[in-house]
Amino acid sequence: NAGVTQTPKFQVLKTGQSMTLQCAQDMNHNSMYWYRQDPGMGLRLIYYSASEGTTDKGEVPNGYNVSRLNKREFSLRLESAAPSQTSVYFCASREGQGSTDTQYFGPGTRLTVL
Amino acid sequence: GQSLEQPSEVTAVEGAIVQINCTYQTSGFYGLSWYQQHDGGAPTFLSYNALDGLEETGRFSSFLSRSDSYGYLLLQELQMKDSASYFCALGAGGFKTIFGAGTRLFVKA
């Protein structure tokens, strides 16, 4: 039982390049989330998926797209990376449908955009 | 909208008790959670309050007063390994959770 896994762990991009961050969970959770965390700040919600087949915008969705491929996998895509997207990206999953149920986080992807 | 406020840093001595406060603003309340994050690590869940009062989990306790829009995390018998960032998080309804900016706790020997 690996919990929530993310790939890659580190990535450096040039401005304008695209990439997809991968996330998978093996806990059979319904909802999944993508957050970004900038230095000295809390987590900000980018997109979430309440269940397989649905996705919704969070607080800071601009410049990102997501795909809920199946119940296990939820990917985040940067179509044209910008330096402002330099951040640590965390994927999370949650079993229940309440906004206060425990979230389980992956180890994060550290992204630098030059 | 929703917002949370917590101190940016707190310093305490090993073996002591420390309290990390969190005040919030929200139109609809769905509970207050606390998460711990060590440097370079992922956030991990600590505690949750849906109703007023104290919730205890080992050395960690969390308190909520909905009338004051206020909560706190209490850490007892501080250990060096408790040096980390602590985030309060507000259930924002639906599937969303809003996180505070975090409080960095330094535990000194």
Side-chain angles (χ1 to χ4, degrees):
Chain A
N1 190 340
V4 180
T5 57
Q6 293 182 235
T7 55
K9 287 188 167 54
F10 299 92
Q11 184 71 49
V12 179
L13 293 177
K14 295 181 179 177
T15 297
Q17 287 185 317
S18 62
M19 79 160 295
T20 300
L21 282 65
Q22 306 287 353
C23 174
Q25 51 92 9
D26 62 1
M27 297 174 283
N28 201 36
H29 286 171
N30 289 311
S31 56
M32 297 184 73
Y33 305 79
W34 276 106
Y35 292 92
R36 62 176 287 174
Q37 185 176 34
D38 299 314
M41 296 184 68
L43 298 132
R44 290 185 292 169
L45 182 64
I46 305 171
Y47 270 94
Y48 66 99
S49 171
S51 61
E52 186 179 351
T54 68
T55 61
D56 283 288
K57 295 178 180 178
E59 301 170 80
V60 288
N62 291 344
Y64 305 95
N65 286 301
V66 291
S67 294
R68 182 75 182 267
L69 304 170
N70 47 55
K71 192 170 187 180
R72 289 188 64 248
E73 298 172 288
F74 187 37
S75 63
L76 178 72
R77 182 161 178 83
L78 287 72
E79 291 291 351
S80 178
S84 61
Q85 295 177 304
T86 293
S87 190
V88 181
Y89 291 84
F90 288 101
C91 176
S93 71
R94 166 185 275 158
E95 179 180 13
Q97 297 189 355
S99 60
T100 50
D101 293 329
T102 302
Q103 291 189 66
Y104 297 87
F105 286 84
T109 294
R110 283 145 185 83
L111 175 67
T112 300
V113 183
L114 302 175
Chain B
Q2 290 100 353
S3 65
L4 301 105
E5 197 166 317
Q6 50 183 133
S8 58
E9 287 185 8
V10 172
T11 300
V13 177
E14 195 175 17
I17 299 173
V18 72
Q19 179 174 311
I20 298 173
N21 298 319
C22 174
T23 57
Y24 62 84
Q25 290 186 329
T26 183
S27 54
F29 182 78
Y30 299 92
L32 191 70
S33 302
W34 290 90
Y35 286 79
Q36 178 192 59
Q37 185 181 31
H38 286 98
D39 283 348
T44 56
F45 173 80
L46 288 176
S47 189
Y48 162 66
N49 295 75
L51 302 174
D52 291 352
L54 194 68
E55 292 286 337
E56 298 181 77
T57 310
R59 293 189 299 113
F60 297 86
S61 303
S62 58
F63 172 82
L64 175 68
S65 170
R66 287 174 294 170
S67 60
D68 296 320
S69 298
Y70 164 74
Y72 66 73
L73 180 69
L74 195 72
L75 294 82
Q76 302 183 72
E77 300 173 16
L78 277 176
Q79 302 175 9
M80 297 300 290
K81 67 178 183 179
D82 297 329
S83 292
S85 293
Y86 294 83
F87 296 89
C88 53
L90 191 62
F95 295 86
K96 296 182 184 178
T97 304
I98 305 299
F99 285 80
T103 298
R104 192 167 178 86
L105 172 64
F106 297 95
V107 180
K108 300 193 298 185

